[in-house]
Amino acid sequence: MARTAQTPANSGAPGDYVVFVGKDHLGEGDVTLGRNLMKMALRTFAEADEPPAAVLFANGGVLTLTAAEPPELPEALRTLEARGTRLVGCRSCLDFYEVLDQVHVGTVGNMAQILREMRAAAKVITL
């Protein structure tokens, strides 16, 4: 059967792409707006027919793994994880920001693991 806009590629299993999050906000300009956009982007990925295989966090992006506010942000991350998306935060980055003990979701990895995930993916989306 040909895939159409009404026919999802699969039944909700993670896709063959990963998302790289290198900061705690999306885009340039107002940081408050950027954090709201990041929340919306991650929620959209969580609700997608084909969520990412992994979301990889480095540098300021690891702060997303420790955010408790707004509540929709950790909920989107928990939804992604429940759907089979691997959430991996860079240990060196978490140590640098002194937030390793505040990670709410996902696993703590290292740069080698993050780069392996990126190399293995068919596509990498950078937020």
PDB file of all heavy atoms in Angstrom, residues 11 18 21 25 30 33 40 47 50 55 60 63 67-68 73-74 78 86-87 90 100 103 112 114 121 126-127:
ATOM      1  N   SER A  11       3.462   1.920  12.985  1.00  0.00           N
ATOM      2  CA  SER A  11       2.465   2.029  14.048  1.00  0.00           C
ATOM      3  C   SER A  11       3.007   2.660  15.325  1.00  0.00           C
ATOM      4  O   SER A  11       2.710   2.197  16.407  1.00  0.00           O
ATOM      5  CB  SER A  11       1.908   0.645  14.347  1.00  0.00           C
ATOM      6  OG  SER A  11       2.964  -0.210  14.746  1.00  0.00           O
ATOM      7  N   VAL A  18      17.476  10.640  14.605  1.00  0.00           N
ATOM      8  CA  VAL A  18      17.726  11.104  15.962  1.00  0.00           C
ATOM      9  C   VAL A  18      17.647  12.621  15.986  1.00  0.00           C
ATOM     10  O   VAL A  18      17.778  13.285  14.952  1.00  0.00           O
ATOM     11  CB  VAL A  18      19.098  10.628  16.515  1.00  0.00           C
ATOM     12  CG1 VAL A  18      19.178   9.111  16.551  1.00  0.00           C
ATOM     13  CG2 VAL A  18      20.248  11.220  15.738  1.00  0.00           C
ATOM     14  N   VAL A  21      20.026  17.911  20.686  1.00  0.00           N
ATOM     15  CA  VAL A  21      19.661  19.125  21.417  1.00  0.00           C
ATOM     16  C   VAL A  21      20.934  19.671  22.054  1.00  0.00           C
ATOM     17  O   VAL A  21      21.460  19.085  23.002  1.00  0.00           O
ATOM     18  CB  VAL A  21      18.588  18.825  22.490  1.00  0.00           C
ATOM     19  CG1 VAL A  21      18.236  20.085  23.261  1.00  0.00           C
ATOM     20  CG2 VAL A  21      17.349  18.213  21.848  1.00  0.00           C
ATOM     21  N   HIS A  25      17.158  25.971  24.553  1.00  0.00           N
ATOM     22  CA  HIS A  25      16.130  26.750  23.859  1.00  0.00           C
ATOM     23  C   HIS A  25      16.300  26.548  22.363  1.00  0.00           C
ATOM     24  O   HIS A  25      17.352  26.133  21.890  1.00  0.00           O
ATOM     25  CB  HIS A  25      16.206  28.232  24.235  1.00  0.00           C
ATOM     26  CG  HIS A  25      17.527  28.866  23.925  1.00  0.00           C
ATOM     27  ND1 HIS A  25      18.624  28.715  24.743  1.00  0.00           N
ATOM     28  CD2 HIS A  25      17.924  29.627  22.877  1.00  0.00           C
ATOM     29  CE1 HIS A  25      19.653  29.369  24.214  1.00  0.00           C
ATOM     30  NE2 HIS A  25      19.252  29.930  23.084  1.00  0.00           N
ATOM     31  N   ASP A  30      14.931  35.754  21.606  1.00  0.00           N
ATOM     32  CA  ASP A  30      14.441  35.720  22.979  1.00  0.00           C
ATOM     33  C   ASP A  30      14.531  34.307  23.555  1.00  0.00           C
ATOM     34  O   ASP A  30      13.972  33.360  22.999  1.00  0.00           O
ATOM     35  CB  ASP A  30      12.994  36.217  23.026  1.00  0.00           C
ATOM     36  CG  ASP A  30      12.496  36.331  24.449  1.00  0.00           C
ATOM     37  OD1 ASP A  30      12.824  37.343  25.102  1.00  0.00           O
ATOM     38  OD2 ASP A  30      11.812  35.390  24.908  1.00  0.00           O
ATOM     39  N   LEU A  33      11.092  32.752  24.731  1.00  0.00           N
ATOM     40  CA  LEU A  33      10.373  32.221  23.576  1.00  0.00           C
ATOM     41  C   LEU A  33      11.037  30.928  23.102  1.00  0.00           C
ATOM     42  O   LEU A  33      10.358  29.933  22.809  1.00  0.00           O
ATOM     43  CB  LEU A  33      10.348  33.246  22.442  1.00  0.00           C
ATOM     44  CG  LEU A  33       9.778  32.752  21.104  1.00  0.00           C
ATOM     45  CD1 LEU A  33       8.327  32.318  21.269  1.00  0.00           C
ATOM     46  CD2 LEU A  33       9.922  33.832  20.043  1.00  0.00           C
ATOM     47  N   MET A  40       7.532  22.893  22.796  1.00  0.00           N
ATOM     48  CA  MET A  40       6.577  22.528  21.745  1.00  0.00           C
ATOM     49  C   MET A  40       7.187  21.527  20.764  1.00  0.00           C
ATOM     50  O   MET A  40       6.517  20.589  20.332  1.00  0.00           O
ATOM     51  CB  MET A  40       6.089  23.774  21.009  1.00  0.00           C
ATOM     52  CG  MET A  40       5.152  24.629  21.844  1.00  0.00           C
ATOM     53  SD  MET A  40       4.414  25.983  20.905  1.00  0.00           S
ATOM     54  CE  MET A  40       5.779  27.126  20.788  1.00  0.00           C
ATOM     55  N   GLU A  47       4.445  13.193  20.105  1.00  0.00           N
ATOM     56  CA  GLU A  47       3.128  12.854  19.569  1.00  0.00           C
ATOM     57  C   GLU A  47       3.177  12.374  18.124  1.00  0.00           C
ATOM     58  O   GLU A  47       2.147  12.005  17.557  1.00  0.00           O
ATOM     59  CB  GLU A  47       2.213  14.075  19.673  1.00  0.00           C
ATOM     60  CG  GLU A  47       1.937  14.488  21.102  1.00  0.00           C
ATOM     61  CD  GLU A  47       1.233  15.835  21.227  1.00  0.00           C
ATOM     62  OE1 GLU A  47       1.068  16.541  20.189  1.00  0.00           O
ATOM     63  OE2 GLU A  47       0.856  16.190  22.347  1.00  0.00           O
ATOM     64  N   GLU A  50       5.858   8.649  14.104  1.00  0.00           N
ATOM     65  CA  GLU A  50       7.156   7.995  14.169  1.00  0.00           C
ATOM     66  C   GLU A  50       8.092   8.864  15.009  1.00  0.00           C
ATOM     67  O   GLU A  50       8.757   9.756  14.488  1.00  0.00           O
ATOM     68  CB  GLU A  50       7.706   7.865  12.743  1.00  0.00           C
ATOM     69  CG  GLU A  50       8.424   6.587  12.471  1.00  0.00           C
ATOM     70  CD  GLU A  50       8.790   6.495  10.999  1.00  0.00           C
ATOM     71  OE1 GLU A  50       9.355   7.455  10.447  1.00  0.00           O
ATOM     72  OE2 GLU A  50       8.500   5.452  10.422  1.00  0.00           O
ATOM     73  N   VAL A  55      16.918  11.000  21.348  1.00  0.00           N
ATOM     74  CA  VAL A  55      17.136  12.431  21.504  1.00  0.00           C
ATOM     75  C   VAL A  55      18.409  12.540  22.321  1.00  0.00           C
ATOM     76  O   VAL A  55      18.516  11.977  23.417  1.00  0.00           O
ATOM     77  CB  VAL A  55      15.957  13.157  22.183  1.00  0.00           C
ATOM     78  CG1 VAL A  55      16.244  14.651  22.278  1.00  0.00           C
ATOM     79  CG2 VAL A  55      14.650  12.923  21.430  1.00  0.00           C
ATOM     80  N   GLY A  60      24.478  22.977  26.732  1.00  0.00           N
ATOM     81  CA  GLY A  60      23.325  23.508  27.457  1.00  0.00           C
ATOM     82  C   GLY A  60      22.056  22.706  27.253  1.00  0.00           C
ATOM     83  O   GLY A  60      21.108  22.827  28.021  1.00  0.00           O
ATOM     84  N   LEU A  63      20.414  20.692  30.118  1.00  0.00           N
ATOM     85  CA  LEU A  63      19.538  21.336  31.106  1.00  0.00           C
ATOM     86  C   LEU A  63      18.078  20.984  30.855  1.00  0.00           C
ATOM     87  O   LEU A  63      17.257  21.038  31.768  1.00  0.00           O
ATOM     88  CB  LEU A  63      19.756  22.844  31.098  1.00  0.00           C
ATOM     89  CG  LEU A  63      21.182  23.284  31.457  1.00  0.00           C
ATOM     90  CD1 LEU A  63      21.348  24.781  31.280  1.00  0.00           C
ATOM     91  CD2 LEU A  63      21.545  22.842  32.866  1.00  0.00           C
ATOM     92  N   ALA A  67      15.029  19.972  33.669  1.00  0.00           N
ATOM     93  CA  ALA A  67      13.970  20.972  33.832  1.00  0.00           C
ATOM     94  C   ALA A  67      12.726  20.356  34.455  1.00  0.00           C
ATOM     95  O   ALA A  67      12.271  19.303  34.029  1.00  0.00           O
ATOM     96  CB  ALA A  67      13.628  21.596  32.488  1.00  0.00           C
ATOM     97  N   ALA A  68      12.205  21.010  35.453  1.00  0.00           N
ATOM     98  CA  ALA A  68      10.936  20.593  36.051  1.00  0.00           C
ATOM     99  C   ALA A  68       9.799  21.494  35.570  1.00  0.00           C
ATOM    100  O   ALA A  68       8.634  21.139  35.680  1.00  0.00           O
ATOM    101  CB  ALA A  68      11.026  20.641  37.570  1.00  0.00           C
ATOM    102  N   LEU A  73       7.272  20.020  29.649  1.00  0.00           N
ATOM    103  CA  LEU A  73       8.577  19.605  29.135  1.00  0.00           C
ATOM    104  C   LEU A  73       8.977  18.225  29.647  1.00  0.00           C
ATOM    105  O   LEU A  73       9.215  17.324  28.845  1.00  0.00           O
ATOM    106  CB  LEU A  73       9.639  20.652  29.451  1.00  0.00           C
ATOM    107  CG  LEU A  73      11.030  20.350  28.928  1.00  0.00           C
ATOM    108  CD1 LEU A  73      11.033  20.123  27.425  1.00  0.00           C
ATOM    109  CD2 LEU A  73      11.965  21.504  29.278  1.00  0.00           C
ATOM    110  N   PRO A  74       9.030  18.002  30.970  1.00  0.00           N
ATOM    111  CA  PRO A  74       9.367  16.643  31.409  1.00  0.00           C
ATOM    112  C   PRO A  74       8.330  15.612  30.970  1.00  0.00           C
ATOM    113  O   PRO A  74       8.675  14.459  30.694  1.00  0.00           O
ATOM    114  CB  PRO A  74       9.465  16.740  32.928  1.00  0.00           C
ATOM    115  CG  PRO A  74       9.060  18.100  33.309  1.00  0.00           C
ATOM    116  CD  PRO A  74       8.945  18.933  32.071  1.00  0.00           C
ATOM    117  N   ARG A  78       9.105  12.178  29.076  1.00  0.00           N
ATOM    118  CA  ARG A  78       8.639  10.867  29.584  1.00  0.00           C
ATOM    119  C   ARG A  78       7.826  10.134  28.520  1.00  0.00           C
ATOM    120  O   ARG A  78       7.931   8.911  28.376  1.00  0.00           O
ATOM    121  CB  ARG A  78       7.826  11.052  30.864  1.00  0.00           C
ATOM    122  CG  ARG A  78       8.678  11.296  32.100  1.00  0.00           C
ATOM    123  CD  ARG A  78       7.874  11.206  33.385  1.00  0.00           C
ATOM    124  NE  ARG A  78       6.986  12.331  33.579  1.00  0.00           N
ATOM    125  CZ  ARG A  78       7.351  13.507  34.091  1.00  0.00           C
ATOM    126  NH1 ARG A  78       8.596  13.686  34.473  1.00  0.00           N
ATOM    127  NH2 ARG A  78       6.485  14.475  34.236  1.00  0.00           N
ATOM    128  N   ARG A  86      15.232   6.657  22.936  1.00  0.00           N
ATOM    129  CA  ARG A  86      16.333   6.733  23.901  1.00  0.00           C
ATOM    130  C   ARG A  86      16.659   8.203  24.147  1.00  0.00           C
ATOM    131  O   ARG A  86      16.835   8.967  23.202  1.00  0.00           O
ATOM    132  CB  ARG A  86      17.575   5.999  23.375  1.00  0.00           C
ATOM    133  CG  ARG A  86      17.376   4.508  23.244  1.00  0.00           C
ATOM    134  CD  ARG A  86      18.620   3.804  22.686  1.00  0.00           C
ATOM    135  NE  ARG A  86      19.055   4.301  21.388  1.00  0.00           N
ATOM    136  CZ  ARG A  86      18.482   4.016  20.223  1.00  0.00           C
ATOM    137  NH1 ARG A  86      17.396   3.243  20.189  1.00  0.00           N
ATOM    138  NH2 ARG A  86      18.955   4.502  19.089  1.00  0.00           N
ATOM    139  N   LEU A  87      16.745   8.599  25.400  1.00  0.00           N
ATOM    140  CA  LEU A  87      17.152   9.952  25.779  1.00  0.00           C
ATOM    141  C   LEU A  87      18.525   9.831  26.418  1.00  0.00           C
ATOM    142  O   LEU A  87      18.678   9.133  27.428  1.00  0.00           O
ATOM    143  CB  LEU A  87      16.161  10.561  26.769  1.00  0.00           C
ATOM    144  CG  LEU A  87      14.686  10.571  26.361  1.00  0.00           C
ATOM    145  CD1 LEU A  87      13.830  11.109  27.488  1.00  0.00           C
ATOM    146  CD2 LEU A  87      14.482  11.373  25.095  1.00  0.00           C
ATOM    147  N   CYS A  90      24.847  13.952  27.927  1.00  0.00           N
ATOM    148  CA  CYS A  90      26.308  13.924  28.028  1.00  0.00           C
ATOM    149  C   CYS A  90      26.744  14.122  29.481  1.00  0.00           C
ATOM    150  O   CYS A  90      26.450  15.149  30.088  1.00  0.00           O
ATOM    151  CB  CYS A  90      26.869  15.034  27.145  1.00  0.00           C
ATOM    152  SG  CYS A  90      28.610  15.382  27.392  1.00  0.00           S
ATOM    153  N   LEU A 100      24.150  16.761  37.404  1.00  0.00           N
ATOM    154  CA  LEU A 100      24.080  15.319  37.183  1.00  0.00           C
ATOM    155  C   LEU A 100      23.035  14.659  38.077  1.00  0.00           C
ATOM    156  O   LEU A 100      22.293  13.779  37.642  1.00  0.00           O
ATOM    157  CB  LEU A 100      25.452  14.680  37.407  1.00  0.00           C
ATOM    158  CG  LEU A 100      25.554  13.184  37.163  1.00  0.00           C
ATOM    159  CD1 LEU A 100      25.196  12.832  35.731  1.00  0.00           C
ATOM    160  CD2 LEU A 100      26.955  12.691  37.482  1.00  0.00           C
ATOM    161  N   VAL A 103      18.913  14.885  36.930  1.00  0.00           N
ATOM    162  CA  VAL A 103      18.351  14.339  35.694  1.00  0.00           C
ATOM    163  C   VAL A 103      17.054  13.610  36.020  1.00  0.00           C
ATOM    164  O   VAL A 103      17.042  12.699  36.847  1.00  0.00           O
ATOM    165  CB  VAL A 103      19.357  13.401  34.995  1.00  0.00           C
ATOM    166  CG1 VAL A 103      18.731  12.721  33.799  1.00  0.00           C
ATOM    167  CG2 VAL A 103      20.607  14.173  34.588  1.00  0.00           C
ATOM    168  N   ALA A 112      31.147   9.704  23.099  1.00  0.00           N
ATOM    169  CA  ALA A 112      31.318   8.585  22.164  1.00  0.00           C
ATOM    170  C   ALA A 112      29.973   7.932  21.858  1.00  0.00           C
ATOM    171  O   ALA A 112      29.669   7.629  20.698  1.00  0.00           O
ATOM    172  CB  ALA A 112      32.296   7.562  22.735  1.00  0.00           C
ATOM    173  N   ILE A 114      26.971   9.351  22.114  1.00  0.00           N
ATOM    174  CA  ILE A 114      26.158  10.312  21.363  1.00  0.00           C
ATOM    175  C   ILE A 114      26.574  10.313  19.887  1.00  0.00           C
ATOM    176  O   ILE A 114      25.731  10.266  18.998  1.00  0.00           O
ATOM    177  CB  ILE A 114      26.262  11.716  21.997  1.00  0.00           C
ATOM    178  CG1 ILE A 114      25.513  11.719  23.341  1.00  0.00           C
ATOM    179  CG2 ILE A 114      25.737  12.799  21.062  1.00  0.00           C
ATOM    180  CD1 ILE A 114      25.712  12.948  24.185  1.00  0.00           C
ATOM    181  N   ALA A 121      22.309   6.778  12.663  1.00  0.00           N
ATOM    182  CA  ALA A 121      20.983   7.237  12.227  1.00  0.00           C
ATOM    183  C   ALA A 121      20.977   7.586  10.742  1.00  0.00           C
ATOM    184  O   ALA A 121      21.972   8.042  10.188  1.00  0.00           O
ATOM    185  CB  ALA A 121      20.589   8.474  13.040  1.00  0.00           C
ATOM    186  N   THR A 126      18.840  18.708  14.210  1.00  0.00           N
ATOM    187  CA  THR A 126      19.446  19.513  15.273  1.00  0.00           C
ATOM    188  C   THR A 126      18.477  20.602  15.695  1.00  0.00           C
ATOM    189  O   THR A 126      17.962  21.346  14.858  1.00  0.00           O
ATOM    190  CB  THR A 126      20.759  20.157  14.793  1.00  0.00           C
ATOM    191  OG1 THR A 126      21.652  19.112  14.397  1.00  0.00           O
ATOM    192  CG2 THR A 126      21.403  20.974  15.897  1.00  0.00           C
ATOM    193  N   LEU A 127      18.203  20.664  17.001  1.00  0.00           N
ATOM    194  CA  LEU A 127      17.347  21.731  17.544  1.00  0.00           C
ATOM    195  C   LEU A 127      18.222  22.755  18.215  1.00  0.00           C
ATOM    196  O   LEU A 127      19.257  22.486  18.726  1.00  0.00           O
ATOM    197  CB  LEU A 127      16.357  21.165  18.561  1.00  0.00           C
ATOM    198  CG  LEU A 127      15.321  20.165  18.032  1.00  0.00           C
ATOM    199  CD1 LEU A 127      14.390  19.756  19.156  1.00  0.00           C
ATOM    200  CD2 LEU A 127      14.538  20.758  16.890  1.00  0.00           C
TER     201      LEU A 127
END
